[in-house]
Amino acid sequence: MERGASPRSVTPGRQRWDVELVRGRPRAAETLAAALGRVPGITDVQANPVTGGVLVRHDARMPATDIGRMVRTAVALVAAGTARAARPGPPRTPAASPPPRTGRGRSARPVLAVGGGIGCAVAVGVALAKGSAPSRQLAAVGAVVAATALVLRRDWRRAVDTSRDAVGPGAGRHPLVEIVGPHRRRLYRAAALSIACQAAEMALGTFLGWTGLVLIKGEAAPLARLGLTAAGAQLCGLAGLVAAACAAVAGLSYASNLQWRRLGQDIEHDWRSRTYRHVQHLAPRHLEGERTSRVAGTLTNDVGQLGAFFAGPANDVLQLATSLLILVPAFLLLAPQIAWIAFLPIPVIAWLSLRHQDKSAAGYARTGERRARLGSQVINSLEAGATVKSFCTEDFEAARIDDLSEAAQASSRHSDRDTTRHAETVRACTTASMAGTLLVGGRAVLGGTLRFEVFSPLIGLPQMLLMRMSRLGGIADQYQRTLACYDRVRRLRALPVETDAGDGTLDLPDVRGEIVLDRVTFAYPGRPAALEDLSLTIPAGRVTALVGATGSGKTSIAKLLMRFQDADSGRVLLDGRDIRDLRRRSLRHAIGFVAQDPFLFDGTIADNIRYGRFDASDEAVVRAAAMAEAHTFVAALPDGYDTLIGERGASLSGGQRQRIALARTILRDSPVVILDEATSAVDNETEAAIQRALRSFAADRTMIVIAHRLSTVRQADRIYVMDKGGIVAEQGTHDELLARHGHYASLWQIQAGALAV
Ligand SMILES: Nc1ncnc2c1ncn2[C@@H]1O[C@H](COP(=O)(O)OP(=O)(O)O)[C@@H](O)[C@H]1O
Ligand SMILES: [Mg+2]
């Protein structure tokens, strides 16, 4: 794997790099970010272990080439550190493992494992030739079990290590154990049914073997011992036994399949709800940093795979393990001569599968990432429908999707080839072993060292087992997919949620709504300060307006009040209490907020107005709509308040959407209300009507009106005029500000003039 770092975009003060080293390696990403973050002049570093992207923000006066050199040096240092750390133990993260061919240290262990397997098999051979019967059997059992256990243990450990690497210390459990979580009881139930079903299947195989024996030899010794001596009676007895075993297999298989599927569904549902709940509580700055479609992909596909693994492959693994547990001792007791050849493939296949896993892990991480990018672009392009059409860029968009789809296809093709090759290798091993069993067993029967009666039922049973083993390739594949999906789910869940430092609450009727910003400085990560040392007072029970150029920090003030963001320094007080001492929910209940780009849900108009006050009566909904000047246009629609408005309210005009959002906030009836450009898309006449209607609404509450159209704020009790960088340039009432002949007065001149024209 290439360990390089290549620049993706370089602008003054900001560089984006693609660093292969951090892809799929959260630890390496963290280390790199920390290392670069310590360099003087570099202000912020974000390394994304999913995409491999590294964003470096720095003092714009530093030459870009210097930054580039530092990034490369840091990558080289981290790479050296990672290689050192990886040498003594198993690789930390499969996604970033170099292929086994190039990693000598890494391939040593599987080689040891398979070497152990083969060595044990040789030892078995020697023991078979020389030792006494019990010692031969013991040696054989021990060898097969030890070699298999060695290989499996190695994998289990590695998965635990990887999981710890992805989510940090403390999670020392295997991902599968974590995935099952509280559904362990159902897992046990399903497992018990599967084991019983497998035992029944083995019994069926034995009965069929005996049937063959009766037909060829005239009798089956075990039945004769039970008192059934005549061939006819034995056949009848066997028919009954076969029928009973068939019925048991069918019933148990049905019940166990049902249980496994239920388990899969429970796991999927559980992970989806828990993860979604987590996502809902993420701090806004983290949610903004994640692509919506990527999060959606994790909540649907990745979580689905967690359940699917338990609904299918987990059952297969258990059946395989059960057959092994029953068959290996049976074989070794009854026909130790041929046991080694029958079971030799087990450790070999286990090793092959795990080796394949090493390779496929990186492939699955890459394919998953490319698919996520594709999905994200598809949604983006679809949502941009009107823009695409108006710029006639349909072909450009189609080509973009084509490229991404091709990239996803290429990486899938690569993993598919590996997977298919692996499955066929495993099948070749199992069939070779079947042939070997027949040949070696046949020779033993001909040579008189093995009785045909013993050999005959044993022919079919290992075949059953080996057929199942041949599915191990597919199972390992699913397992790998599941780990990759689990990794993505865990990463999403590792993002921090909003937490409350203080647990103060507000009693809504007592909230007066006086808001004080006390020397507040706030900057978005990597940006210059949006608000700098800003102090202002918003008196209780009055209408206060914030006006000013776009980008002057008006919306940022609203975000601070809602605690979507927190000030870097300074305090925000509500009725004299620092809002950081209050619970967020309590604060947000006290403040009604109409955002600049309000979101309407796919549903009816009434549903949207009622959002957040689900128990509101129809009359209250209509009253709120009337106050927001929405009632007239809603009533004119054929379905009135039951009109479906499509995704994001697509079937409404911008001004209509704003009025619905306003009605929603009016209905909420909070003591403090922030209207952020809430009527910017509404015509002047309607806006004037809304203002008249809002006057009674505003009478007993604190209103903050953010606007760029000065006519909106003319009636306000106090107007703050914001300048770039979040500074208050002027303040006062409309008349006072006009009398000052300052910035506000000239803006008013321009806007009034524009209106007059
Ligand atoms: N999510 C964000 N991430 C980074 N910068 C932002 C973000 N939102 C706003 N800004 C920047 O902060 C500054 C103030 O923005 P904002 O408060 O939205 O201004 P206004 O509402 O007055 O137009 C602007 O320079 C804007 O580019
Ligand atoms: Mg704004």
Side-chain angles (χ1 to χ4, degrees), residues 46-322:
Q46 286 169 25
N48 188 331
V50 177
T51 57
V54 175
L55 174 66
V56 182
R57 294 193 175 99
H58 60 90
D59 188 334
R61 286 165 300 189
M62 289 175 78
T65 45
D66 282 4
I67 300 288
R69 213 177 44 239
M70 284 171 205
V71 172
R72 288 214 164 87
T73 314
V75 169
L77 283 175
V78 174
T82 320
R84 251 197 322 280
R87 220 167 288 143
R92 307 289 295 175
T93 312
S97 314
R101 261 171 273 122
T102 55
R104 275 203 193 170
R106 292 182 55 264
S107 54
R109 272 173 180 248
V111 166
L112 273 183
V114 82
I118 293 171
C120 290
V122 172
V124 175
V126 174
L128 292 177
K130 297 201 172 159
S132 62
S135 71
R136 286 197 305 235
Q137 289 153 15
L138 272 180
V141 176
V144 170
V145 171
T148 313
L150 197 67
V151 176
L152 292 180
R153 212 190 96 199
R154 171 183 158 266
D155 179 65
W156 187 270
R157 282 230 169 141
R158 197 185 46 182
V160 170
D161 276 355
T162 309
S163 146
R164 197 180 293 137
D165 192 34
V167 298
R173 293 193 294 176
H174 192 277
L176 292 183
V177 178
E178 299 264 339
I179 293 171
V180 173
H183 305 289
R184 228 168 280 164
R185 289 186 83 156
R186 192 180 289 283
L187 174 70
Y188 294 150
R189 212 174 310 148
L193 284 167
S194 263
I195 292 172
C197 174
Q198 203 50 36
E201 223 169 89
M202 294 274 159
L204 179 61
T206 312
F207 299 152
L208 289 176
W210 286 349
T211 313
L213 216 53
V214 174
L215 296 177
I216 298 166
K217 285 235 158 182
E219 68 156 13
L223 289 177
R225 253 177 266 135
L226 290 175
L228 284 175
T229 43
Q234 286 198 343
L235 268 186
C236 284
L238 279 169
L241 285 175
V242 166
C246 278
V249 168
L252 288 167
S253 168
Y254 170 77
S256 74
N257 270 324
L258 225 54
Q259 286 296 328
W260 285 109
R261 278 164 197 268
R262 286 274 305 270
L263 175 66
Q265 284 152 8
D266 287 355
I267 288 175
E268 182 179 342
H269 170 73
D270 194 43
W271 275 94
R272 180 169 300 130
S273 348
R274 276 193 288 156
T275 311
Y276 188 68
R277 196 157 297 146
H278 178 84
V279 168
Q280 284 282 288
H281 287 104
L282 286 183
R285 63 178 185 285
H286 291 292
L287 203 52
E288 275 172 13
E290 292 289 318
R291 290 188 171 200
T292 320
S293 53
R294 186 189 292 279
V295 175
T298 300
L299 285 169
T300 49
N301 304 342
D302 291 344
V303 165
Q305 173 67 28
L306 301 188
F309 180 77
F310 280 91
N315 185 7
D316 288 344
V317 173
L318 205 83
Q319 291 188 351
L320 185 65
T322 315

Side-chain angles (χ1 to χ4, degrees), residues 695-716:
R695 220 162 283 158
S696 64
F697 176 72
D700 53 350
R701 66 192 84 223
T702 307
M703 287 256 277
I704 300 167
V705 181
I706 298 174
H708 61 260
R709 200 197 277 159
L710 300 187
S711 59
T712 315
V713 300
R714 193 176 167 177
Q715 310 290 340

Side-chain angles (χ1 to χ4, degrees), residues 550-551 553-556 596 676-677 706:
T550 52
K554 305 181 297 291
T555 300
S556 302
Q596 200 165 354
D676 188 358
E677 313 264 9
I706 298 174

